[in-house]
Amino acid sequence: MAGSQATVLAIDHHHHAAPVHGVSSIRVLPDEDGTKNWDRIIVDERIKSRLLSHALLALAHQQEFYLLPGALQRLVILTGPPGTGKTTLSTGLAEVVARELAHKGSTCLAEVNPHALPSEMLGESQRNVARLLDNSLPELSLRYRHVIVVIDEVESFAVRRSAASFEANPVDVHRASDAVLEGMDRLMKRCPNVLVIATTNFPAAIDEAFTSRADMVLSLSIPDIETASKIIGISLEELSGIWPEIKALAGETPLHRQLAQRCVGWDGRQLRRLPLKALSESKELALHPENLMADHLFAATQD
Ligand SMILES: Nc1ncnc2c1ncn2[C@@H]1O[C@H](COP(=O)(O)OP(=O)(O)OP(=O)(O)O)[C@@H](O)[C@H]1O
Ligand SMILES: [Mg+2]
């Protein structure tokens, strides 16, 4: 038994639970959360539309593409700096795909934690990768009509062989990378209903042979002022759901823009946390968030 945290229980429609090795969480969609993750990420609409269209093309025409082997790899890579929404957007993609294709059957979102794979014993990593790609994911693909697999921080999974030089035994890294590539090819051939979204904030570390298998490489970037100002607005809006006194601040679009102008270079995660940062800067506010004012927000933009 390698790493118990690498195993989760999958609940299928008949409520049978089965361990799925190497998968850290499973959601069967659509569910009551709707398309929350998809909606909360503010990016250029073209990114969302390309991502969604590609997923629908790949998953709605499984039989057709089965007849054209190699035409579609069903692998998409999302790159971008930390905190730019890669993980949230990938899981959100599964939410919209599930909604669009609900008439054909359900969608399973499986999140792979790559750190759970290269095992405690380095020599095991090859076997773990093979187990995920040859057993776990194909099993899910039999149980659900559509499967979206999110592999976060894929650089630790498909290490670029020419650059691998950690304390890890390079021979082992080599073998594990080969195992990933061969395993991916088998998975794609055997399971036409599986789409893999791999994320990374370090694209240079990914094996070129892995990147070249991707149908699409999309990159997210640090929000511009327009986007940043929307993110700040959404974040205040969310807080006002709890403290209605904050509603006025949440509605003040020019304020969001002024704040955004002071947060140039902040990533989405930092922008989203700006109101919380303001609240945590004084004892009074921490105890009475309803007293939040514009000045507190401005102060929180400074470090
Ligand atoms: N463009 C954005 N619009 C709205 N919210 C965003 C945006 N980018 C990031 N966020 C928020 O920041 C948080 C972190 O996002 P997420 O984990 O998806 O980023 P990531 O790119 O996967 O980061 P990492 O590289 O550190 O894994 C989430 O709460 C997300 O909602
Ligand atoms: Mg992430």
Side-chain angles (χ1 to χ4, degrees):
M1 272 293 288
S4 56
Q5 94 238 55
T7 302
V8 295
L9 294 182
I11 314 291
D12 67 21
H13 299 299
H14 312 288
H15 306 287
H16 294 137
V20 182
H21 178 85
V23 173
S24 57
S25 97
I26 281 184
R27 262 172 80 195
V28 181
L29 303 167
D31 67 8
E32 67 282 0
D33 281 346
T35 57
K36 252 191 196 162
N37 289 319
W38 182 258
D39 301 333
R40 82 185 326 164
I41 296 299
I42 316 288
V43 280
D44 187 336
E45 273 310 311
R46 282 169 302 182
I47 290 191
K48 280 192 177 175
S49 111
R50 286 186 65 197
L51 197 54
L52 177 58
S53 317
H54 184 72
L56 292 177
L57 178 69
L59 293 174
H61 306 287
Q62 296 167 17
Q63 279 93 355
E64 289 85 342
F65 283 112
Y66 197 69
L67 300 173
L68 288 175
L72 263 187
Q73 293 288 344
R74 299 190 310 282
L75 169 66
V76 173
I77 299 179
L78 275 186
T79 71
T84 49
K86 300 178 297 294
T87 304
T88 313
L89 195 62
S90 309
T91 57
L93 176 66
E95 297 168 343
V96 255
V97 164
R99 185 187 63 195
E100 297 289 328
L101 300 181
H103 59 287
K104 292 176 180 263
S106 59
T107 297
C108 171
L109 164 65
E111 294 185 68
V112 171
N113 174 3
H115 299 296
L117 289 171
S119 102
E120 314 74 57
M121 298 157 283
L122 273 170
E124 280 265 292
S125 56
Q126 206 182 338
R127 220 178 311 154
N128 285 340
V129 167
R131 192 133 60 114
L132 172 76
L133 297 172
D134 290 330
N135 299 32
S136 311
L137 298 179
E139 268 166 38
L140 287 178
S141 89
L142 291 176
R143 273 191 266 162
Y144 301 97
R145 180 64 196 264
H146 317 103
V147 178
I148 294 192
V149 180
V150 175
I151 305 179
D152 251 330
E153 297 172 52
V154 71
E155 68 276 6
S156 58
F157 185 83
V159 185
R160 183 176 175 182
R161 282 162 288 191
S162 51
S165 65
F166 327 111
E167 62 289 4
N169 177 352
V171 174
D172 195 59
V173 170
H174 239 270
R175 290 211 192 103
S177 292
D178 286 339
V180 170
L181 295 173
E182 289 160 15
M184 281 291 291
D185 289 343
R186 283 192 300 275
L187 175 71
M188 291 312 171
K189 210 177 274 170
R190 280 172 69 192
C191 308
N193 59 338
V194 173
L195 174 72
V196 176
I197 315 291
T199 81
T200 179
N201 44 44
F202 196 24
I206 306 181
D207 196 274
E208 297 88 335
F210 188 82
T211 319
S212 86
R213 278 163 172 74
D215 295 316
M216 192 182 270
V217 179
L218 290 173
S219 74
L220 302 185
S221 41
I222 296 291
D224 57 18
I225 291 188
E226 197 61 46
T227 309
S229 120
K230 283 186 194 153
I231 297 174
I232 293 171
I234 288 179
S235 181
L236 286 166
E237 187 65 46
E238 277 181 0
L239 281 187
S240 74
I242 314 174
W243 294 285
E245 294 84 349
I246 296 178
K247 262 241 142 43
L249 288 181
E252 247 183 84
T253 322
L255 166 69
H256 309 160
R257 178 168 260 281
Q258 287 170 349
L259 290 166
Q261 275 159 347
R262 298 182 176 219
C263 301
V264 173
W266 288 31
D267 64 44
R269 183 183 280 132
Q270 292 168 319
L271 289 164
R272 205 175 177 83
R273 287 187 186 155
L274 177 68
L276 287 179
K277 184 162 179 262
L279 292 179
S280 63
E281 275 171 12
S282 88
K283 194 174 92 184
E284 287 69 30
L285 272 183
L287 292 173
H288 297 285
E290 68 275 14
N291 297 334
L292 182 68
M293 315 263 254
D295 282 349
H296 302 128
L297 292 166
F298 280 114
T301 63
Q302 279 152 4
D303 265 62

